[in-house]
Coordinates of all heavy atoms in Angstrom, one line a residue:
M1 N 5.0 3.1 9.0 CA 4.4 2.8 10.3 C 3.3 1.7 10.0 O 3.1 0.9 10.9 CB 3.7 4.0 10.9 CG 3.3 3.8 12.2 SD 3.0 5.3 13.1 CE 1.3 5.4 13.1
D2 N 2.8 1.5 8.8 CA 1.9 0.5 8.6 C 2.4 -0.9 8.6 O 1.6 -1.8 8.8 CB 1.1 0.7 7.2 CG 2.1 0.7 6.1 OD1 3.3 0.8 6.3 OD2 1.6 0.8 4.9
N3 N 3.7 -1.1 8.7 CA 4.2 -2.5 8.8 C 4.6 -2.8 10.2 O 5.2 -3.8 10.5 CB 5.4 -2.6 7.9 CG 6.6 -1.7 8.3 OD1 6.5 -0.9 9.0 ND2 7.7 -2.0 7.6
E4 N 4.1 -2.0 11.2 CA 4.4 -2.2 12.6 C 3.3 -2.9 13.2 O 3.3 -3.2 14.4 CB 4.6 -0.8 13.3 CG 5.9 -0.1 12.9 CD 7.1 -0.8 13.3 OE1 7.1 -1.5 14.3 OE2 8.2 -0.7 12.6
G5 N 2.2 -3.3 12.5 CA 1.1 -4.1 13.0 C 0.2 -3.2 13.9 O -0.4 -3.7 14.9
L6 N 0.2 -1.9 13.6 CA -0.6 -0.9 14.5 C -2.1 -0.9 13.8 O -2.3 -1.2 12.7 CB 0.0 0.4 14.4 CG 1.4 0.6 15.0 CD1 1.9 1.9 14.7 CD2 1.4 0.2 16.4
Y7 N -3.0 -0.6 14.8 CA -4.4 -0.6 14.5 C -4.8 0.8 14.0 O -4.2 1.8 14.4 CB -5.3 -1.0 15.6 CG -5.1 -2.4 16.0 CD1 -4.3 -2.7 17.2 CD2 -5.6 -3.4 15.3 CE1 -4.2 -4.0 17.6 CE2 -5.5 -4.7 15.8 CZ -4.7 -5.0 16.9 OH -4.6 -6.3 17.2
L8 N -5.8 0.9 13.2 CA -6.3 2.2 12.8 C -7.0 2.9 13.9 O -7.7 2.2 14.8 CB -7.4 2.0 11.6 CG -6.8 1.6 10.3 CD1 -7.9 1.4 9.3 CD2 -5.9 2.7 9.8
A9 N -6.7 4.1 14.1 CA -7.3 4.9 15.3 C -8.8 4.9 15.2 O -9.4 4.9 16.3 CB -6.8 6.3 15.3
S10 N -9.4 4.9 14.0 CA -10.9 5.0 13.9 C -11.5 3.7 14.5 O -12.7 3.7 14.8 CB -11.2 5.1 12.5 OG -10.8 4.0 11.7
S11 N -10.7 2.6 14.7 CA -11.2 1.4 15.3 C -11.4 1.6 16.9 O -12.2 0.8 17.5 CB -10.3 0.2 15.1 OG -10.2 0.0 13.7
F12 N -10.7 2.5 17.4 CA -10.7 2.6 18.9 C -11.1 4.0 19.4 O -11.5 4.1 20.6 CB -9.2 2.4 19.4 CG -8.8 1.0 19.2 CD1 -8.1 0.7 18.1 CD2 -9.0 0.0 20.2 CE1 -7.6 -0.6 17.9 CE2 -8.6 -1.3 19.9 CZ -7.9 -1.6 18.8
M13 N -11.0 5.1 18.6 CA -11.3 6.4 19.2 C -12.0 7.3 18.1 O -11.8 7.0 16.9 CB -10.1 7.0 19.7 CG -9.0 7.2 18.6 SD -7.5 8.1 19.1 CE -6.9 7.1 20.5
D14 N -12.8 8.2 18.6 CA -13.3 9.3 17.8 C -12.3 10.3 17.7 O -11.2 10.2 18.3 CB -14.6 9.8 18.4 CG -15.7 8.7 18.3 OD1 -15.8 8.0 17.4 OD2 -16.6 8.8 19.2
D15 N -12.6 11.4 17.0 CA -11.6 12.5 16.8 C -11.1 13.1 18.1 O -10.0 13.5 18.2 CB -12.2 13.6 15.8 CG -12.3 13.1 14.5 OD1 -11.6 12.2 14.1 OD2 -13.1 13.7 13.7
D16 N -12.0 13.2 19.1 CA -11.6 13.9 20.3 C -11.4 13.0 21.4 O -11.3 13.3 22.6 CB -12.7 14.9 20.7 CG -14.1 14.3 20.8 OD1 -14.3 13.1 20.5 OD2 -15.0 15.0 21.3
D17 N -11.4 11.7 21.3 CA -11.2 10.7 22.3 C -9.7 10.6 22.7 O -8.8 10.9 21.9 CB -11.6 9.3 21.9 CG -13.1 9.1 21.9 OD1 -13.7 10.0 22.5 OD2 -13.6 8.1 21.4
D18 N -9.4 10.2 23.9 CA -8.0 10.0 24.3 C -7.9 8.6 25.0 O -8.7 8.3 25.9 CB -7.7 11.1 25.3 CG -6.3 11.1 25.7 OD1 -5.4 10.6 24.9 OD2 -5.9 11.7 26.8
V19 N -7.0 7.8 24.6 CA -6.8 6.5 25.1 C -5.5 6.6 25.9 O -4.4 6.8 25.3 CB -6.7 5.4 24.0 CG1 -6.4 4.0 24.6 CG2 -8.0 5.4 23.3
P20 N -5.5 6.3 27.2 CA -4.2 6.4 28.0 C -3.1 5.5 27.4 O -3.4 4.3 27.2 CB -4.6 6.0 29.4 CG -6.1 6.2 29.5 CD -6.6 6.0 28.0
G21 N -1.9 6.1 27.3 CA -0.8 5.3 26.8 C -0.7 5.2 25.3 O 0.3 4.6 24.7
W22 N -1.6 5.7 24.6 CA -1.6 5.6 23.1 C -1.9 7.0 22.6 O -2.5 7.9 23.1 CB -2.8 4.7 22.7 CG -2.5 3.3 23.1 CD1 -2.8 2.7 24.3 CD2 -1.9 2.3 22.3 NE1 -2.4 1.4 24.3 CE2 -1.8 1.1 23.1 CE3 -1.3 2.3 21.1 CZ2 -1.2 0.0 22.7 CZ3 -0.7 1.1 20.6 CH2 -0.6 -0.1 21.4
A23 N -1.4 7.2 21.3 CA -1.6 8.5 20.6 C -2.0 8.2 19.2 O -1.6 7.3 18.6 CB -0.3 9.3 20.7
K24 N -2.8 9.2 18.7 CA -3.2 9.1 17.3 C -2.0 9.7 16.4 O -1.7 10.8 16.6 CB -4.5 9.8 17.1 CG -5.1 9.7 15.7 CD -6.4 10.3 15.5 CE -6.9 10.1 14.1 NZ -8.2 10.7 13.9
R25 N -1.5 8.9 15.5 CA -0.5 9.4 14.6 C -0.9 9.0 13.2 O -1.0 7.9 12.8 CB 0.8 8.6 14.9 CG 1.4 9.0 16.2 CD 1.9 10.4 16.1 NE 2.6 10.8 17.4 CZ 3.4 11.7 17.6 NH1 3.7 12.4 16.6 NH2 3.9 12.0 18.7
G26 N -1.2 10.0 12.5 CA -1.9 9.8 11.1 C -3.1 9.0 11.3 O -3.9 9.3 12.2
P27 N -3.3 8.0 10.5 CA -4.5 7.2 10.6 C -4.4 6.1 11.7 O -5.4 5.4 12.0 CB -4.7 6.6 9.3 CG -3.3 6.4 8.8 CD -2.5 7.6 9.4
Y28 N -3.3 6.0 12.4 CA -3.0 4.8 13.3 C -3.1 5.3 14.8 O -3.0 6.4 15.1 CB -1.6 4.2 13.0 CG -1.5 3.7 11.6 CD1 -0.9 4.4 10.6 CD2 -2.1 2.5 11.3 CE1 -0.8 3.9 9.3 CE2 -2.0 2.0 10.0 CZ -1.3 2.7 9.0 OH -1.2 2.2 7.8
I29 N -3.3 4.3 15.6 CA -3.1 4.5 17.0 C -1.8 3.8 17.4 O -1.6 2.6 17.1 CB -4.3 4.0 17.9 CG1 -4.1 4.3 19.4 CG2 -4.6 2.5 17.6 CD1 -5.4 4.0 20.2
A30 N -0.9 4.5 18.1 CA 0.4 4.0 18.4 C 0.8 4.3 19.8 O 0.3 5.2 20.4 CB 1.4 4.7 17.5
P31 N 1.7 3.5 20.4 CA 2.2 3.8 21.8 C 2.8 5.2 21.8 O 3.4 5.7 20.9 CB 3.3 2.8 22.0 CG 3.1 1.8 21.0 CD 2.4 2.4 19.8
D32 N 2.5 6.0 22.9 CA 3.0 7.3 23.0 C 4.3 7.4 23.7 O 4.9 8.5 23.8 CB 2.0 8.2 23.7 CG 1.7 7.8 25.2 OD1 2.3 6.8 25.6 OD2 0.9 8.4 25.8
N33 N 5.0 6.3 24.0 CA 6.3 6.3 24.6 C 7.4 6.0 23.6 O 8.5 5.7 24.1 CB 6.3 5.4 25.8 CG 6.1 4.0 25.5 OD1 5.6 3.7 24.4 ND2 6.3 3.1 26.4
V34 N 7.1 5.9 22.3 CA 8.2 5.6 21.4 C 8.6 7.0 20.7 O 7.9 8.0 20.7 CB 7.7 4.6 20.3 CG1 7.4 3.3 20.9 CG2 6.5 5.1 19.5
E35 N 9.7 6.9 20.1 CA 10.3 8.1 19.4 C 9.7 8.2 18.0 O 9.8 7.3 17.3 CB 11.8 8.1 19.4 CG 12.4 9.3 18.8 CD 13.9 9.3 18.9 OE1 14.5 8.3 19.5 OE2 14.5 10.1 18.3
Y36 N 9.1 9.4 17.7 CA 8.6 9.7 16.4 C 9.4 10.6 15.6 O 10.2 11.5 16.2 CB 7.2 10.3 16.5 CG 6.2 9.5 17.2 CD1 5.9 9.6 18.5 CD2 5.5 8.5 16.5 CE1 5.0 8.8 19.2 CE2 4.5 7.7 17.1 CZ 4.2 7.8 18.5 OH 3.4 7.0 19.1
Y37 N 9.4 10.6 14.3 CA 10.0 11.6 13.5 C 9.2 12.8 13.5 O 8.0 12.8 13.4 CB 10.2 11.1 12.1 CG 11.3 10.1 11.9 CD1 11.1 8.8 11.7 CD2 12.6 10.5 11.9 CE1 12.1 7.9 11.5 CE2 13.7 9.6 11.8 CZ 13.3 8.2 11.5 OH 14.4 7.3 11.4
E38 N 9.8 14.0 13.7 CA 9.0 15.2 13.8 C 9.0 16.0 12.5 O 8.2 16.8 12.3 CB 9.7 16.1 14.9 CG 9.6 15.5 16.3 CD 8.2 15.4 16.8 OE1 7.3 16.2 16.4 OE2 7.9 14.4 17.5
S39 N 9.9 15.7 11.6 CA 10.0 16.4 10.3 C 10.5 15.5 9.2 O 11.2 14.5 9.5 CB 10.8 17.7 10.4 OG 12.2 17.4 10.5
E40 N 10.3 16.0 8.0 CA 10.8 15.2 6.8 C 12.3 15.3 6.8 O 13.0 14.3 6.4 CB 10.2 15.8 5.5 CG 8.7 15.5 5.4 CD 7.8 16.3 6.1 OE1 8.2 17.3 6.7 OE2 6.6 16.0 6.0
I41 N 12.9 16.4 7.2 CA 14.3 16.6 7.3 C 15.0 15.6 8.2 O 16.0 15.1 7.8 CB 14.7 18.0 7.7 CG1 14.1 19.1 6.8 CG2 16.2 18.2 7.8 CD1 14.6 19.0 5.3
D42 N 14.4 15.3 9.4 CA 14.9 14.3 10.2 C 15.0 12.9 9.5 O 16.0 12.2 9.7 CB 14.1 14.1 11.5 CG 14.2 15.4 12.4 OD1 15.1 16.1 12.2 OD2 13.3 15.5 13.3
V43 N 14.0 12.5 8.8 CA 14.0 11.3 8.0 C 15.0 11.3 7.0 O 15.7 10.3 6.8 CB 12.6 11.0 7.4 CG1 12.6 9.8 6.5 CG2 11.5 10.9 8.5
M44 N 15.2 12.4 6.3 CA 16.2 12.5 5.2 C 17.6 12.3 5.8 O 18.4 11.6 5.2 CB 16.0 13.8 4.5 CG 14.8 13.9 3.7 SD 14.5 15.5 3.0 CE 15.9 15.7 1.9
Y45 N 17.9 12.9 6.9 CA 19.2 12.7 7.6 C 19.4 11.3 8.0 O 20.5 10.7 7.8 CB 19.4 13.7 8.7 CG 19.9 15.1 8.3 CD1 19.1 16.2 8.4 CD2 21.1 15.3 7.6 CE1 19.5 17.4 8.1 CE2 21.5 16.5 7.3 CZ 20.7 17.6 7.5 OH 21.1 18.8 7.1
D46 N 18.4 10.7 8.7 CA 18.5 9.4 9.3 C 18.7 8.3 8.1 O 19.4 7.3 8.3 CB 17.3 9.0 10.1 CG 17.4 9.6 11.5 OD1 18.4 10.3 11.8 OD2 16.5 9.4 12.3
F47 N 18.1 8.5 7.0 CA 18.2 7.5 5.9 C 19.2 7.9 4.9 O 19.3 7.3 3.8 CB 16.8 7.3 5.3 CG 15.9 6.6 6.1 CD1 15.0 7.2 7.0 CD2 15.8 5.2 6.0 CE1 14.2 6.5 7.8 CE2 14.9 4.5 6.8 CZ 14.1 5.1 7.7
D48 N 20.0 9.0 5.2 CA 21.0 9.5 4.4 C 20.5 9.8 3.0 O 21.1 9.5 1.9 CB 22.2 8.4 4.2 CG 23.5 9.0 3.9 OD1 23.7 10.2 4.2 OD2 24.4 8.3 3.4
L49 N 19.5 10.6 3.0 CA 18.9 11.1 1.7 C 19.2 12.5 1.4 O 18.8 13.1 0.4 CB 17.3 10.9 1.8 CG 16.9 9.4 1.8 CD1 15.4 9.4 2.0 CD2 17.3 8.7 0.6
Y50 N 19.7 13.3 2.4 CA 20.0 14.7 2.3 C 21.2 14.9 1.3 O 22.2 14.3 1.4 CB 20.3 15.3 3.6 CG 20.0 16.8 3.6 CD1 18.7 17.2 3.8 CD2 21.0 17.7 3.5 CE1 18.4 18.6 3.8 CE2 20.7 19.1 3.5 CZ 19.4 19.5 3.7 OH 19.1 20.8 3.6
T51 N 21.1 15.8 0.3 CA 22.1 16.1 -0.6 C 22.6 17.5 -0.6 O 22.0 18.3 0.2 CB 21.5 15.7 -2.1 OG1 20.5 16.8 -2.4 CG2 21.0 14.4 -2.2
D52 N 23.5 17.9 -1.4 CA 24.0 19.2 -1.6 C 23.0 20.1 -2.5 O 23.2 21.3 -2.5 CB 25.4 19.2 -2.1 CG 26.4 18.6 -1.2 OD1 26.1 18.7 0.1 OD2 27.4 18.1 -1.6
N53 N 22.2 19.4 -3.2 CA 21.3 20.1 -4.1 C 19.9 20.4 -3.5 O 19.2 19.6 -3.1 CB 21.0 19.1 -5.3 CG 20.3 19.8 -6.4 OD1 19.3 20.5 -6.2 ND2 20.6 19.5 -7.7
D54 N 19.7 21.7 -3.3 CA 18.5 22.2 -2.6 C 17.2 21.8 -3.4 O 16.2 21.4 -2.7 CB 18.5 23.7 -2.4 CG 19.6 24.1 -1.4 OD1 20.0 23.3 -0.6 OD2 20.0 25.3 -1.5
A55 N 17.2 21.8 -4.7 CA 16.0 21.5 -5.4 C 15.8 20.0 -5.3 O 14.6 19.6 -5.1 CB 16.2 21.8 -6.9
L56 N 16.8 19.2 -5.3 CA 16.5 17.7 -5.0 C 16.1 17.4 -3.6 O 15.2 16.6 -3.4 CB 17.8 16.9 -5.3 CG 17.8 15.4 -5.1 CD1 16.6 14.8 -6.0 CD2 19.1 14.8 -5.5
N57 N 16.6 18.1 -2.6 CA 16.1 18.0 -1.3 C 14.7 18.3 -1.1 O 13.9 17.7 -0.4 CB 17.0 18.8 -0.3 CG 18.4 18.3 -0.1 OD1 18.7 17.1 -0.3 ND2 19.3 19.2 0.2
K58 N 14.3 19.4 -1.8 CA 12.9 19.8 -1.7 C 11.9 18.8 -2.4 O 10.9 18.5 -1.9 CB 12.7 21.2 -2.4 CG 11.3 21.7 -2.4 CD 10.9 22.1 -1.0 CE 9.5 22.7 -1.1 NZ 8.7 22.4 0.1
D59 N 12.4 18.2 -3.5 CA 11.6 17.2 -4.2 C 11.5 15.9 -3.2 O 10.4 15.4 -3.2 CB 12.3 16.7 -5.5 CG 12.1 17.8 -6.6 OD1 11.2 18.6 -6.4 OD2 12.8 17.6 -7.6
I60 N 12.6 15.5 -2.6 CA 12.5 14.3 -1.7 C 11.6 14.7 -0.5 O 10.7 13.9 -0.1 CB 13.9 14.0 -1.2 CG1 14.8 13.5 -2.4 CG2 13.8 12.9 -0.1 CD1 16.2 13.3 -2.1
E61 N 11.8 15.9 0.0 CA 10.9 16.3 1.2 C 9.4 16.3 0.8 O 8.6 15.9 1.7 CB 11.4 17.6 1.7 CG 10.7 18.1 2.9 CD 11.2 19.5 3.3 OE1 12.3 20.0 2.8 OE2 10.5 20.1 4.1
D62 N 9.1 16.8 -0.4 CA 7.7 16.8 -0.8 C 7.1 15.4 -1.0 O 5.9 15.2 -0.9 CB 7.6 17.6 -2.1 CG 7.8 19.0 -1.9 OD1 7.8 19.5 -0.8 OD2 8.1 19.7 -2.9
C63 N 7.9 14.4 -1.1 CA 7.5 13.0 -1.3 C 7.2 12.3 0.1 O 6.6 11.3 0.0 CB 8.5 12.2 -2.1 SG 8.6 12.7 -3.8
L64 N 7.7 12.9 1.1 CA 7.6 12.2 2.4 C 6.4 12.8 3.2 O 6.2 14.0 3.1 CB 8.9 12.4 3.2 CG 10.2 11.8 2.6 CD1 11.4 12.2 3.4 CD2 10.0 10.3 2.6
Y65 N 5.8 12.0 4.0 CA 4.7 12.4 4.9 C 5.0 11.7 6.2 O 4.8 10.5 6.3 CB 3.4 12.0 4.3 CG 2.2 12.3 5.2 CD1 1.8 13.6 5.5 CD2 1.6 11.3 5.9 CE1 0.8 13.9 6.3 CE2 0.5 11.5 6.7 CZ 0.1 12.8 6.9 OH -0.9 13.1 7.8
V66 N 5.5 12.4 7.2 CA 6.0 11.7 8.4 C 5.1 11.8 9.6 O 5.6 11.6 10.7 CB 7.4 12.3 8.8 CG1 8.4 12.1 7.7 CG2 7.4 13.7 9.1
D67 N 3.9 12.1 9.4 CA 3.0 12.3 10.5 C 2.9 11.1 11.4 O 2.7 11.2 12.6 CB 1.5 12.6 10.0 CG 0.6 13.0 11.1 OD1 1.1 13.7 12.0 OD2 -0.6 12.6 11.0
G68 N 3.2 9.9 10.9 CA 3.1 8.7 11.7 C 4.3 7.9 11.7 O 4.3 6.7 12.0
W69 N 5.5 8.4 11.4 CA 6.7 7.6 11.3 C 7.3 7.4 12.7 O 7.5 8.3 13.4 CB 7.7 8.2 10.4 CG 7.4 8.1 8.9 CD1 6.2 8.2 8.3 CD2 8.4 7.9 7.8 NE1 6.3 8.0 7.0 CE2 7.6 7.9 6.6 CE3 9.7 7.9 7.8 CZ2 8.2 7.8 5.4 CZ3 10.3 7.7 6.6 CH2 9.5 7.6 5.4
I70 N 7.5 6.1 13.0 CA 8.1 5.7 14.3 C 9.5 5.1 13.9 O 9.6 4.3 13.1 CB 7.2 4.7 15.0 CG1 5.9 5.3 15.3 CG2 7.9 4.1 16.2 CD1 4.9 4.3 15.9
R71 N 10.4 5.5 14.8 CA 11.7 4.7 14.7 C 11.5 3.4 15.4 O 11.0 3.3 16.5 CB 12.8 5.5 15.5 CG 13.2 6.8 14.8 CD 14.4 7.4 15.4 NE 14.7 8.6 14.7 CZ 15.6 9.4 15.2 NH1 16.2 9.3 16.2 NH2 15.9 10.5 14.4
R72 N 11.9 2.3 14.7 CA 11.7 0.9 15.2 C 12.4 0.7 16.5 O 11.8 0.2 17.4 CB 12.1 0.0 14.1 CG 11.2 -0.1 13.0 CD 11.8 -1.2 12.0 NE 10.9 -1.3 10.9 CZ 10.2 -2.3 10.6 NH1 10.2 -3.3 11.4 NH2 9.3 -2.3 9.6
D73 N 13.6 1.0 16.6 CA 14.3 0.8 17.8 C 15.1 2.0 18.2 O 16.2 2.4 17.6 CB 15.4 -0.3 17.6 CG 16.1 -0.7 18.9 OD1 15.8 -0.1 19.9 OD2 17.0 -1.6 18.8
P74 N 14.5 2.8 19.1 CA 15.2 4.1 19.4 C 16.6 3.9 20.0 O 17.4 4.9 19.9 CB 14.3 4.6 20.6 CG 13.0 3.9 20.4 CD 13.3 2.6 19.8
T75 N 17.0 2.8 20.5 CA 18.3 2.6 21.0 C 19.3 2.1 20.0 O 20.5 2.0 20.2 CB 18.3 1.6 22.2 OG1 17.9 0.4 21.8 CG2 17.4 2.2 23.3
G76 N 18.8 1.7 18.8 CA 19.6 1.1 17.7 C 20.3 2.2 16.9 O 19.9 3.3 17.0
L77 N 21.2 1.8 16.1 CA 21.9 2.7 15.2 C 20.9 3.1 14.1 O 20.1 2.3 13.7 CB 23.2 2.0 14.6 CG 24.3 1.8 15.5 CD1 25.4 1.0 14.8 CD2 24.9 3.1 16.0
L78 N 21.2 4.3 13.6 CA 20.4 4.8 12.4 C 20.9 4.0 11.2 O 22.0 3.4 11.1 CB 20.7 6.2 12.2 CG 20.3 7.1 13.4 CD1 20.7 8.6 13.1 CD2 18.8 7.1 13.7
M79 N 20.1 3.9 10.2 CA 20.4 3.1 8.9 C 21.6 3.6 8.3 O 22.4 2.8 7.9 CB 19.2 3.2 8.0 CG 18.0 2.3 8.4 SD 16.8 2.2 7.1 CE 17.7 1.2 5.9
K80 N 21.9 4.9 8.3 CA 23.1 5.4 7.6 C 24.4 5.0 8.4 O 25.4 5.1 7.9 CB 23.0 6.9 7.4 CG 23.0 7.7 8.7 CD 22.9 9.2 8.5 CE 23.0 10.0 9.7 NZ 23.0 11.4 9.5
D81 N 24.2 4.8 9.7 CA 25.4 4.4 10.5 C 25.6 2.9 10.4 O 26.7 2.4 10.7 CB 25.2 4.8 12.0 CG 25.1 6.3 12.2 OD1 25.7 7.0 11.3 OD2 24.4 6.7 13.1

């Protein structure tokens, strides 16, 4: 998400502030009308990282932190497609 040109939320809001049309995602403030990844498993499927090996899947999942991941183009094809 840091390559989307988004601003840090701390520049615009305190912990309990609310800015209409924007949401705090991780350390960033982002539009609230875009599609976000909800879990590491969703990212793994979209980027074709899911394997048949449960131990490897757990290792990959532990490396991801998706609190602020936005899909660039919700109408576009996924990378694996």
Side-chain angles (χ1 to χ4, degrees):
M1 192 160 106
D2 58 353
N3 63 353
E4 294 293 331
L6 299 173
Y7 295 102
L8 289 174
S10 61
S11 301
F12 293 92
M13 59 176 57
D14 292 328
D15 288 338
D16 57 351
D17 284 348
D18 189 25
V19 178
W22 294 85
K24 185 175 180 181
R25 293 291 181 157
Y28 299 100
I29 184 170
D32 63 0
N33 62 348
V34 296
E35 186 176 351
Y36 297 97
Y37 285 106
E38 297 296 327
S39 72
E40 288 81 4
I41 300 297
D42 292 342
V43 173
M44 290 171 64
Y45 276 116
D46 281 358
F47 287 88
D48 205 21
L49 297 173
Y50 205 80
T51 68
D52 293 334
N53 186 318
D54 290 337
L56 179 58
N57 288 335
K58 181 66 176 148
D59 286 343
I60 294 170
E61 184 179 346
D62 290 343
C63 292
L64 297 174
Y65 175 71
V66 300
D67 188 37
W69 285 37
I70 297 175
R71 291 187 178 174
R72 286 180 179 250
D73 183 3
T75 62
L77 290 174
L78 301 176
M79 287 189 69
K80 68 180 181 178
D81 297 332

